[in-house]
Amino acid sequence: MRVAIVGFGQSGKTSLFLAISGLARDHLKPHEESLAAVKIPEPRLDWLEKVYEPKKRTEPTMEFVDLPGSTEADDGHAGLTRHLPTLRQCDALVAVVRAFESEGVQKFKNRIDPAEDLSLLRDEFLFADLLICDKRVETLEKAIQKPSKDRDAQKHELTLLQRCKAALESGRPLRDVVAPEEEKTIRSFGFMTQKPLVAVVNVGENHAGAEPNIRDETAYATYAVCASLEADLIQMDPAERGEMMQGWGIRALARDKIIRACFDALGMICFLTAGPEEVRAWPIPRGFTAVDAAGKIHSDLARGFIKAETVSFDDLFAAGSMRDAKAANKVRQEPKGYPVQDGDVILFKHSG
């Protein structure tokens, strides 16, 4: 799972990247893309760790990439063209728009207008996708004129892409028009408007801890963050950080909310495993079956699958222990086809 942080020049993309990644600014290389792996918050592991006292705790991770600015920004663009190969390979986008005043930081288009900036970013996503879609439609229209073994598949792809083109021309993101069963056909294009979007309004210190004053109907979630302040806070000693956050009116760092929102927007859930050796959260797409989840751990578990001894985390927490959960008939023996639910605590039984 990889998430790209995008925005116009001076919007605070890099500050947000530092706030999310916990990296210090001197770790970054000028004019180069920066990549960091971050842990996805999974507080249910806290309780499992207390109960099982394991040797190891493993949380799922997600990668965030910061894209440096380019000369495109001088022309009033977000500099997406230079980074299209990276953007196409990302699974989700975080769009940063500026809402802070600063005499020392040049304004985009000489104004502060986060709602308009978000609209302009969406237009850039649409236009970038339309260029690729238009080119592929043209290629397919020529290809289907000639008999070939791939002609039926090409016709199917053409019909889908013509519908995508019409949607893009009308300003609709592809995530609203492409059905799940159609996604595989156009996955290789990496269309940006097909990716989940999380919006971040970068506010000034005087609005730290406030709710965002704009909403975007196309975004999975919208957050207000003082990115520069949170980039500084994440570098502080936790005890000192708590006092500073209280002074700024910040109840919790935004990084965990943003990371989790990206994870949820991608349609992912976690199942859990627990024992004296390790407690672990395993990320899987929603809809994975028990045998799919077993294969996530090891292919041998999927091949020799017998059953999945399963209890929901909430039931386990309420019972206090696995023994008491079994006594309360909360532990189930699930078959291969069982659709795993978020927070299921599973012990896979297998042969071989």
Side-chain angles (χ1 to χ4, degrees), residues 284-316:
I284 57 172
R286 188 177 297 277
F288 253 36
T289 63
V291 71
D292 293 329
K296 178 76 174 179
I297 298 176
H298 199 285
S299 58
D300 288 348
L301 292 183
R303 280 195 296 268
F305 184 98
I306 297 175
K307 59 186 175 181
E309 189 174 272
T310 307
V311 59
S312 74
F313 174 82
D314 290 343
D315 285 341
L316 180 58

Side-chain angles (χ1 to χ4, degrees), residues 124-144:
E124 289 207 25
F125 300 154
L126 288 164
F127 184 67
D129 284 354
L130 184 57
L131 286 177
I132 291 179
C133 190
D134 205 19
K135 184 176 180 180
R136 181 58 178 168
V137 166
E138 184 179 339
T139 299
L140 287 171
E141 286 176 338
K142 293 178 181 178
I144 63 172

Side-chain angles (χ1 to χ4, degrees), residues 8 77 80 116-130 168 171 192-193:
F8 295 111
H77 297 286
L80 301 182
E116 177 64 13
D117 287 352
L118 202 51
S119 177
L120 290 173
L121 274 175
R122 290 199 304 268
D123 288 345
E124 289 207 25
F125 300 154
L126 288 164
F127 184 67
D129 284 354
L130 184 57
L168 293 167
M192 282 190 286
T193 62

